[in-house]
Amino acid sequence: MCVFCKIISGEIPSKKAYEDDSVLAIYDINPQAPVHIVFMPKQHILTSADGINEENCEIIGKIFVAIAKVAKELGLKDGYRIINNCGAAAGQTVAHIHFHLLAGKDGMSEHMI
Ligand code: 5GP
Ligand code: ZN
């Protein structure tokens, strides 16, 4: 089981920022910005390039709805970044599709993630 599936199952503890039937968001263990939350589907999907298809693509919209909800709750009025690293060469270290929400002063810098 991948590290995010272990977090989803509760085998590895995490600080949750959001959860519903199909989406989980956790505070990143190694934050790169004052606000750094990782959103993932509960279903194990590898990457944006390998695993997303016509049948399961609705989950991406659900993740973006969840991001907007959390951003509103946290009062991120000055904007934020949503980052998806697709593939190891692009910096994806966990092979379970996820989207980083980054915000705060450092979250707006050019070099991150
Ligand atoms: P990636 O580099 O794959 O785009 O992002 C994976 C992210 O997951 C990294 O920012 C890393 O810090 C975070 N991460 C990896 N393992 C854990 C963990 O066990 N708990 C939490 N909260 N975050 C993790
Ligand atoms: Zn997984």
Side-chain angles (χ1 to χ4, degrees):
M1 219 195 281
C2 88
V3 63
F4 284 175
C5 282
K6 286 181 180 168
I7 286 173
I8 291 159
S9 74
E11 191 178 332
I12 295 176
S14 65
K15 186 180 172 195
K16 291 177 187 174
Y18 176 86
E19 184 170 21
D20 64 26
D21 288 350
S22 54
V23 177
L24 177 67
I26 58 168
Y27 284 88
D28 198 290
I29 203 166
N30 182 24
Q32 303 299 308
V35 176
H36 186 173
I37 299 171
V38 178
F39 290 73
M40 66 193 75
K42 288 189 172 176
Q43 182 190 357
H44 181 80
I45 296 170
L46 287 175
T47 75
S48 302
D50 187 4
I52 289 291
N53 55 48
E54 294 288 343
E55 279 69 48
N56 66 15
C57 62
E58 195 186 349
I59 190 63
I60 303 302
K62 288 183 177 178
I63 287 172
F64 273 68
V65 170
I67 291 171
K69 274 186 195 164
V70 171
K72 200 171 182 184
E73 276 169 21
L74 296 178
L76 305 180
K77 294 192 190 73
D78 295 333
Y80 47 87
R81 284 185 171 185
I82 301 169
I83 294 175
N84 168 243
N85 294 325
C86 179
Q92 183 174 358
T93 58
V94 179
H96 180 130
I97 193 171
H98 53 278
F99 295 81
H100 299 263
L101 166 62
L102 296 145
K105 192 165 172 284
D106 303 338
M108 299 301 147
S109 69
E110 285 183 20
H111 288 283
M112 59 188 353
I113 283 294

